[in-house]
Amino acid sequence: MKSIFRRWRALWNPDMYHGWGKRKSYFEGWYFKVVSRERDGALAIIPGISHDAEGNPHAFIQVMDGLSRKATYHEFSADEFRPSPHRFELDLAGNFFSPNRLSLNLTGLCGELELHDIYPWPSRLLAPGIMGWYSFVPFMECYHGVVSVDHRLSGQLNVEGKEIDFSGGKGYIEKDWGRSFPSAWIWIQTNDFGECERTSLMASVANIPWVGSSFVGFIVGFLLEGHLYEFATYNRSAMSINISGREVHLIFRRKQLELRLVAHQAEGTPLIAPIEGAMAGKVNESLTARVEVELRRNGKVVFQKTGHTAGMEMAGEIDTLLRAGS
């Protein structure tokens, strides 16, 4: 009964831990992206928990250095995974994660960062998170949440013996939970638009299993000077997509708005990904991609810039995503 109550509370607070009582074929992980002001540090730090199909659990912290294109996977006993039942706070083997603080004590990575002025994804009565009403569907393969669209950083991290000052840099936090990642997806994120403040992009397109079939779904959030523009399958937005090698062209339309993206994938780093709860898959991610972003209202360009140090993934059977109409 306690686990059911805690999962119900987490349903309305997607940033919290959802896996209370889960013992088989389940994973959950948070994704902290931090980029220094001088762009001499770009890291993705991913704490999480894994339960394979046989019920064997372990906790982990996966770290990707986007500049050196190296990744490390730190494995821990599941007993060391200690999430709060009241809010998003996680203590994992002496490492601490929350929307306001990141404290690390790992081989090759240690230090503490403060996270300031986080911008959470809006929560509404029938749409408690980025997935909208799909948040209430009990059989989804993978659920997605955005903890902070954009925030500022202060503090230092020691990365492989090098002290990097992240003060004045920018951060982003999202998460996933469920059984497995989709069979195909494209994911893009950047909030590095030079001197533009409170400007951030997250775009995700995926092949979603659905009642014996599947459909191509998408969720996009573009934060511009403090206002979040949302384009998603569930709010009747439309999408056009074209892929040529490492270049992805995306157009999203909703009412009088049109968001155009041209993403250029950079050389990536292999990360471990979940399959039926087990961390047994692989996905290639870059933290040095760039994205040309153009927002139009009633045909008039209101924003046009390039985002740098972008996170980008193209994984699985990408051709299946091309069936999405315009």
Side-chain angles (χ1 to χ4, degrees), residues 204-262:
S204 178
V205 181
N207 191 42
I208 311 296
W210 187 260
V211 194
S213 184
S214 64
F215 67 94
V216 176
F218 59 90
I219 307 171
V220 181
F222 179 51
L223 180 68
L224 177 59
E225 297 176 349
H227 181 82
L228 185 65
Y229 297 91
E230 301 173 42
F231 303 83
T233 307
Y234 57 77
N235 68 13
R236 300 184 179 180
S237 298
M239 177 185 71
S240 298
I241 179 171
N242 183 50
I243 302 170
S244 177
R246 290 188 168 191
E247 191 171 280
V248 180
H249 295 250
L250 292 162
I251 302 175
F252 302 96
R253 301 180 182 91
R254 184 186 181 200
K255 298 180 180 178
Q256 77 276 23
L257 296 170
E258 182 177 273
L259 182 68
R260 293 173 171 256
L261 310 178
V262 181

Side-chain angles (χ1 to χ4, degrees), residues 118-139:
I118 70 166
Y119 193 109
W121 191 274
S123 181
R124 306 178 182 95
L125 179 61
L126 299 179
I130 193 171
M131 292 188 66
W133 63 265
Y134 286 101
S135 301
F136 300 104
V137 178
F139 53 79

Side-chain angles (χ1 to χ4, degrees), residues 14-59:
D15 57 337
M16 293 174 59
Y17 178 56
H18 289 248
W20 304 103
K22 300 285 187 179
R23 294 291 179 265
K24 292 184 179 180
S25 300
Y26 182 80
F27 81 95
E28 187 159 353
W30 292 260
Y31 176 98
F32 287 75
K33 180 186 174 193
V34 295
V35 178
S36 66
R37 184 179 180 86
E38 303 302 323
R39 297 178 183 162
D40 58 344
L43 304 174
I45 304 150
I46 310 167
I49 187 78
S50 164
H51 297 267
D52 68 17
E54 284 72 45
N56 301 307
H58 77 271

Side-chain angles (χ1 to χ4, degrees), residues 58-323:
H58 77 271
F60 62 86
I61 300 175
Q62 189 165 196
V63 178
M64 180 178 70
D65 187 325
L67 302 185
S68 68
R69 297 193 298 275
K70 294 179 180 178
T72 54
Y73 190 87
H74 306 266
E75 187 170 327
F76 306 96
S77 165
D79 294 336
E80 296 185 274
F81 181 87
R82 300 189 180 104
S84 168
H86 307 293
R87 62 189 66 86
F88 168 40
E89 288 183 353
L90 171 64
D91 189 289
L92 177 48
N95 301 274
F96 181 80
F97 304 88
S98 81
N100 308 112
R101 185 166 65 90
L102 180 60
S103 181
L104 299 166
N105 186 22
L106 299 166
T107 302
L109 179 62
C110 60
E112 185 166 313
L113 298 180
E114 298 291 332
L115 285 48
H116 306 278
D117 301 324
I118 70 166
Y119 193 109
W121 191 274
S123 181
R124 306 178 182 95
L125 179 61
L126 299 179
I130 193 171
M131 292 188 66
W133 63 265
Y134 286 101
S135 301
F136 300 104
V137 178
F139 53 79
M140 300 293 285
E141 179 182 50
C142 184
Y143 298 86
H144 189 66
V146 171
V147 181
S148 177
V149 179
D150 179 69
H151 51 264
R152 295 180 297 106
L153 306 171
S154 65
Q156 295 80 37
L157 293 177
N158 187 292
V159 183
E160 297 293 343
K162 179 183 178 182
E163 198 77 18
I164 299 177
D165 187 1
F166 283 85
S167 298
K170 295 182 178 181
Y172 168 84
I173 312 170
E174 66 172 42
K175 64 172 300 192
D176 294 283
W177 67 100
R179 299 190 311 276
S180 305
F181 278 177
S183 61
W185 75 92
I186 295 170
W187 171 84
I188 303 163
Q189 191 283 323
T190 179
N191 51 350
D192 181 358
F193 291 92
E195 296 304 314
C196 292
E197 292 298 325
R198 277 301 198 213
T199 303
S200 179
L201 170 76
M202 190 288 296
S204 178
V205 181
N207 191 42
I208 311 296
W210 187 260
V211 194
S213 184
S214 64
F215 67 94
V216 176
F218 59 90
I219 307 171
V220 181
F222 179 51
L223 180 68
L224 177 59
E225 297 176 349
H227 181 82
L228 185 65
Y229 297 91
E230 301 173 42
F231 303 83
T233 307
Y234 57 77
N235 68 13
R236 300 184 179 180
S237 298
M239 177 185 71
S240 298
I241 179 171
N242 183 50
I243 302 170
S244 177
R246 290 188 168 191
E247 191 171 280
V248 180
H249 295 250
L250 292 162
I251 302 175
F252 302 96
R253 301 180 182 91
R254 184 186 181 200
K255 298 180 180 178
Q256 77 276 23
L257 296 170
E258 182 177 273
L259 182 68
R260 293 173 171 256
L261 310 178
V262 181
H264 306 268
Q265 190 181 37
E267 187 174 349
T269 304
L271 296 179
I272 299 175
I275 299 176
E276 289 299 316
M279 299 301 286
K282 287 288 181 69
V283 57
N284 224 40
E285 181 178 330
S286 166
L287 284 184
T288 55
R290 58 186 175 87
V291 190
E292 299 165 29
V293 180
E294 180 179 286
L295 179 68
R296 299 182 180 185
R297 181 184 286 110
N298 294 321
K300 181 181 178 180
V301 176
V302 295
F303 178 88
Q304 189 177 51
K305 284 188 179 294
T306 298
H308 298 275
T309 53
M312 185 170 177
E313 297 173 356
M314 288 199 294
E317 301 168 3
I318 294 298
D319 287 349
T320 63
L321 303 180
L322 299 177
R323 70 190 187 201

